[in-house]
Amino acid sequence: MTSQSTQPATVTVTVTVTEDTITDVAAARWATAHDPRTAELMTALVRHLHAFARETHLTEAEWMAAVQWLTATGQISDEKREEFILASDVLGLSMLVVQQNHRFDPAATPATVLGPFHIDGSPDRDFGQDMSDGLPGELLFVHGTVRSLDGTPVPGAVLDVWQSDSDGAYEAQLDVDEARLRAKYATRPDGSYCVRTIAPLGYAIPMDGPVGALISGTDISYYRPAHIHFLIAVPGFEPLITHLFREGAEYLDSDVVFGVKRELVVGFTEHGPGPTPDGGHSDRPWLEARYDFVLQPA
């Protein structure tokens, strides 16, 4: 039997990809996404990524370093730690997205970043019930009302509240099984709420991961000023994710995640032993922060 040689098939290349044409070729491919918004996002992403590479003349070593950084960011993330959110926060992207998507009336409480430490499923607490569960710190009552732009009280509004402890650590950073310094409070028929907790302290963002390694090579302050997180979602109103910052706290002007707004800075008034805003009595000195949340109608 006579063997026959096989000739390679002729391949016709109709598009030659070069440094000058690759952006248009890649964008055109991603423009075929079946969802129009996905096509819009991906073509814009391709163009901006390519423009970044051209502007900086990105080297192969730098490209590989970025890939390894992204890999490490994913590897350190879990159900309690979101390193990608932290990366977005310190780059200012999170705050930009918040401000673009929550252009509230000037009279409404402004939104700020969610942060990487929110945990779903916080326990319910009654008006003025302690969410610190005996943890050390200065006793603090945060109270006020939740209302609409027209001044109407919003009863039954649920305030999802979370904060760090006296060492600047969140539950998500600790090896604990129970809810810690987080709770949900519902407003009363007159729109009033009262949170009993401990005074927050300023703290450093986690510096033991890829984000910390990146910041360590700069002069950027990696601290956040003392604050408490609030998430308020009420039917008929725009969801509100915000913080209350302690007036006079360090780092208000250098918040590493760009989250401080003047309207969210609140004075902590010192009181001696005596009556407290929850209708009770304290045998030790306590702090009071008064704040009225104003929701933007949907």
Side-chain angles (χ1 to χ4, degrees):
M1 184 173 179
T2 304
S3 61
Q4 295 181 344
S5 61
T6 303
Q7 298 296 323
T10 301
V11 178
T12 302
V13 177
T14 57
V15 177
T16 300
V17 177
T18 68
E19 182 180 335
D20 294 327
T21 64
I22 189 169
T23 301
D24 289 337
V25 173
R29 289 183 184 177
W30 281 103
T32 65
H34 301 161
D35 174 64
R37 179 59 172 167
T38 300
E40 179 184 6
L41 291 172
M42 292 307 299
T43 54
L45 178 63
V46 165
R47 293 190 184 281
H48 284 281
L49 279 176
H50 287 213
F52 168 79
R54 287 191 173 91
E55 178 185 338
T56 61
H57 197 80
L58 192 68
T59 68
E60 290 175 293
E62 290 163 344
W63 172 84
M64 180 54 72
V67 170
Q68 292 171 340
W69 188 89
L70 291 169
T71 300
T73 300
Q75 290 171 337
I76 203 171
S77 300
D78 56 28
E79 67 277 2
K80 282 191 169 184
R81 177 170 181 167
E82 259 296 355
E83 192 80 358
F84 275 112
I85 289 181
L86 185 61
S88 174
D89 289 349
V90 302
L91 291 172
L93 177 61
S94 301
M95 200 59 201
L96 173 60
V97 172
V98 165
Q99 293 181 109
Q100 284 185 151
N101 287 275
H102 299 281
R103 294 190 174 109
F104 293 163
D105 187 285
T109 301
T112 186
V113 294
L114 176 67
F117 300 124
H118 178 259
I119 300 175
D120 290 326
S122 290
D124 295 326
R125 292 284 187 264
D126 293 330
F127 185 88
Q129 191 174 357
D130 190 2
M131 80 171 193
S132 68
D133 294 324
L135 289 172
E138 294 181 278
L139 176 60
L140 169 67
F141 288 90
V142 184
H143 69 108
T145 62
V146 178
R147 57 184 175 82
S148 181
L149 276 176
D150 62 5
T152 305
V154 181
V158 176
L159 290 78
D160 188 348
V161 189
W162 69 103
Q163 68 173 91
S164 64
D165 63 18
S166 56
D167 292 322
Y170 285 85
E171 177 193 330
Q173 297 172 280
L174 302 172
D175 186 18
V176 295
D177 294 326
E178 70 282 352
R180 193 173 192 271
L181 282 171
R182 60 183 175 94
K184 291 182 178 180
Y185 294 85
T187 57
R188 299 192 295 188
D190 63 353
S192 62
Y193 73 92
C194 183
V195 176
R196 176 175 174 149
T197 183
I198 56 175
L201 298 177
Y203 59 85
I205 62 169
M207 293 294 288
D208 60 339
V211 172
L214 196 60
I215 286 180
S216 294
T218 74
D219 292 331
I220 296 172
S221 167
Y222 48 85
Y223 284 89
R224 297 218 63 204
H227 63 275
I228 301 176
H229 297 259
F230 291 82
L231 189 162
I232 308 174
V234 182
F237 294 91
E238 293 289 339
L240 175 65
I241 298 172
T242 196
H243 302 4
L244 294 184
F245 296 91
R246 183 172 185 171
E247 187 178 58
E250 289 186 273
Y251 316 116
L252 286 173
D253 290 326
S254 60
D255 182 11
V256 67
V257 306
F258 311 95
V260 177
K261 290 180 177 289
R262 187 180 301 106
E263 300 92 333
L264 301 175
V265 178
V266 184
F268 283 23
T269 305
E270 298 180 358
H271 294 275
T276 51
D278 61 341
H281 184 279
S282 175
D283 296 328
R284 60 188 175 110
W286 54 280
L287 298 170
E288 176 186 22
R290 169 81 195 213
Y291 192 84
D292 294 333
F293 292 98
V294 180
L295 303 184
Q296 173 84 28

